[in-house]
Amino acid sequence: MPAGVFSMLHGQANEVGATLVQHPAIKAVGFTGSQGGGLALTRLAAERAEPIPVYAEMGSVNPMFLLPEAVRARGDSIASGLAGSFTLGAGQFCTSPGLVFVQRGEGLEDFVAALGKAVSEMQPSVMLHGGILSAYGQARERLAGAAGVEPIAASADADGRAQAAAYRVTIEHFESNPALAEEIFGPTTLVVEVDDAERFAAIAGALPGQLTAAIHGEEAELARCRPLIETLQQRAGRVLFNGFPTGVEVGHAMVHGGPYPATSDGRSTSVGTLAIDRFLRPVCLQDTPAAVLPEAVQENNPLGLRRLVDGAWQEPAM
């Protein structure tokens, strides 16, 4: 690759990132990290003499909504998939599902039991570094100590490794404690029990912006929950049906972004072919002599692009 295509600066202090964002040669910024860090960089970029865009990915709890017929029909398989999803990579995927909303009634306890069994069989996992492991342990302690929160199951414990865990809480306690809707960076999920699935749309509407949201339902009940689907389209960059959000395919349709505060700019994606648009600026060349056109659209047309000849677009010669 030409020199400068890839470079890396190492640093353990915020000053490195701050200096880069404020440097006049930098024209756009991509960031993955905490909300505090992303907002700090966004402010620095806006305060420059020449402001620049910051595309910050700042966290998400990636809620899942389990419709009652699906829970009754295949609660065990949903529980198994959920356990594998929120523990993948020690729960450090930005699309890890941290909130699961499910209706009380038939199938709930079987689902919870299956989830508990799957979690208890997990192995403790290694996180990115000791500081993240420590922060995860503190976040789990706060969650476990919150009013109304009850443990479902935990994996084996081991020094220096993250213990997977699942908890449950009623919607009444969840709505009375906004902290329960905050992301825990690590292999933990919270099951929220709701009296009636008809409330799912209102619950989704009260959540902040997310990278993903998922719905599990049978075909007939999915057709009846359009208000929930439409609400989630306003709340998330990617809405999944009968799937799990961890694992982001690089493709033309992928959106790995979402409304604030999941990202600082909900119009963009950081994965997929549209991701390059974050770092492009449109330029119009009007009435340009052929000799000074960019090489890609000159007569030899090495990229196979259409070119303008005598006022008409021509396809490249084969």
Side-chain angles (χ1 to χ4, degrees):
M1 291 187 294
V5 171
F6 176 82
S7 60
M8 178 178 287
L9 292 177
H10 289 275
Q12 296 186 0
N14 295 335
E15 286 76 15
V16 175
T19 300
L20 285 172
V21 170
Q22 295 175 94
H23 194 284
I26 301 298
K27 302 301 181 183
V29 174
F31 170 83
T32 297
S34 69
Q35 184 174 346
L39 294 180
L41 296 180
T42 301
R43 285 192 295 270
L44 289 174
E47 292 168 356
R48 287 176 34 146
E50 178 193 358
I52 60 172
V54 174
Y55 302 102
E57 182 188 308
M58 300 183 292
S60 179
V61 293
N62 307 293
M64 294 180 60
F65 293 84
L66 311 184
L67 300 180
E69 291 178 18
V71 172
R72 290 193 293 269
R74 46 189 171 88
D76 287 1
S77 63
I78 295 174
S80 176
L82 170 62
S85 184
F86 81 81
T87 61
L88 185 66
Q92 296 169 113
F93 278 68
C94 47
T95 52
S96 178
L99 286 178
V100 183
F101 296 92
V102 60
Q103 178 178 292
R104 295 187 184 108
E106 183 183 353
L108 171 61
E109 294 306 321
D110 289 341
F111 165 77
V112 169
L115 177 61
K117 182 176 185 296
V119 171
S120 65
E121 294 173 351
M122 295 286 176
Q123 295 298 314
S125 49
V126 177
M127 302 194 80
L128 291 170
H129 60 72
I132 290 178
L133 176 63
S134 176
Y136 168 63
Q138 294 170 16
R140 263 194 63 204
E141 288 180 3
R142 289 193 297 271
L143 175 61
V149 173
E150 300 176 0
I152 294 175
S155 68
D157 198 4
D159 289 342
R161 294 174 181 262
Q163 187 179 29
Y167 299 86
R168 65 193 297 178
V169 71
T170 66
I171 187 63
E172 292 78 14
H173 281 103
F174 178 81
E175 291 180 329
S176 67
N177 185 356
L180 295 180
E182 296 175 1
E183 179 186 22
I184 292 181
F185 191 70
T188 285
T189 198
L190 178 63
V191 175
V192 183
E193 302 168 15
V194 183
D195 281 333
D196 189 344
E198 293 292 327
R199 291 196 58 199
F200 281 176
I203 292 167
L207 294 175
Q210 307 289 331
L211 295 174
T212 75
I215 309 172
H216 283 255
E218 300 297 275
E219 186 171 349
E221 62 181 345
L222 285 172
R224 297 192 298 267
C225 72
R226 184 163 296 278
L228 173 61
I229 295 170
E230 292 176 348
T231 300
L232 291 180
Q233 290 179 59
Q234 299 298 318
R235 283 290 180 266
R238 178 162 58 109
V239 180
L240 298 86
F241 294 86
N242 294 318
F244 301 92
T246 43
V248 180
E249 181 179 356
V250 179
H252 298 307
M254 178 51 62
V255 174
H256 189 58
Y260 180 88
T263 71
S264 60
D265 189 329
R267 299 167 297 176
S268 68
T269 175
S270 59
V271 176
T273 51
L274 294 177
I276 193 62
D277 288 351
R278 298 174 297 162
F279 305 110
L280 298 178
R281 179 178 62 84
V283 176
C284 173
L285 300 176
Q286 183 171 335
D287 297 328
T288 309
V292 298
L293 283 171
E295 183 180 0
V297 292
Q298 287 187 11
E299 187 172 355
N300 63 348
N301 201 8
L303 296 185
L305 302 176
R306 293 191 305 165
R307 58 194 177 95
L308 190 63
V309 178
D310 296 330
W313 285 103
Q314 292 188 355
E315 298 294 333
M318 301 300 291

